[in-house]
């Protein structure tokens, strides 16, 4: 099985030793996205809702670069520095997904890169 690297200027550039996504067969593994604005590589704002929207927009851009869209995500992991934002994440996530929803985990963490309040990674399966 071959693998290919997915890269787009419409999502933040990798800030470490990783790729935005890796495609292996019809499966795409998306690296975690934090709320960086791709053009500036700066945090969108300190507001949690704005950060969450930016993260979903970044994921959407990587999905598109891989030849899919958000409906092809089968699993997402949401990392939050404050689990009190869980309801807000559900509200914002509903703007990006329709049923059937992907499998999901929400994990509370002590800290995220660049002091982000949210990070999301995922696994996407492209149509055959």
């Amino acid at each position: 099985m071959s693998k290919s690297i997915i890269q787009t200027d419409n999502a933040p550039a990798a800030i470490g030793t990783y790729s935005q996504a890796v495609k292996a067969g019809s499966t795409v593994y998306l690296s975690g996205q934090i709320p960086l604005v791709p053009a500036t590589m700066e945090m969108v704002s300190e507001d949690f809702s704005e950060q969450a929207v930016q993260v979903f927009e970044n994921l959407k851009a990587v999905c598109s670069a891989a030849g899919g869209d958000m409906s092809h995500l089968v699993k997402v992991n949401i990392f939050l520095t404050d689990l009190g934002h869980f309801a807000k994440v559900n509200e914002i996530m509903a703007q990006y997904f329709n049923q059937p929803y992907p499998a999901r985990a929400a994990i509370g963490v002590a800290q995220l890169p660049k002091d982000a309040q949210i990070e999301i990674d995922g696994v996407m399966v492209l149509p055959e």
Side-chain angles (χ1 to χ4, degrees):
M1 174 183 329
S2 66
K3 75 175 185 179
S4 57
I5 303 304
I6 307 301
Q7 192 282 326
T8 178
D9 292 336
N10 295 324
I15 56 174
T17 54
Y18 63 92
S19 300
Q20 289 172 330
V22 176
K23 181 179 175 190
S26 63
T27 303
V28 181
Y29 300 89
L30 288 82
S31 292
Q33 288 291 327
I34 60 174
L36 296 175
V37 175
T40 65
M41 291 298 290
E42 298 293 327
M43 296 293 276
V44 66
S45 81
E46 294 296 318
D47 179 75
F48 178 80
S49 293
E50 290 179 21
Q51 287 196 15
V53 167
Q54 185 65 54
V55 167
F56 281 112
E57 288 296 320
N58 292 344
L59 285 171
K60 188 170 141 183
V62 177
C63 287
S64 178
D69 60 47
M70 299 284 274
S71 72
H72 297 120
L73 283 166
V74 296
K75 174 73 163 98
V76 294
N77 295 307
I78 302 171
F79 304 92
L80 300 167
T81 57
D82 180 353
L83 287 172
H85 291 303
F86 187 74
K88 181 55 75 174
V89 169
N90 281 334
E91 179 183 317
I92 294 168
M93 189 171 170
Q95 299 170 26
Y96 290 89
F97 293 93
N98 296 311
Q99 291 187 355
Y101 300 122
R104 179 182 82 180
I107 303 121
V109 297
Q111 190 174 14
L112 290 167
K114 296 194 175 264
D115 290 324
Q117 298 175 63
I118 182 171
E119 179 173 357
I120 303 176
D121 69 9
V123 177
M124 180 171 67
V125 177
L126 298 172
E128 301 277 332

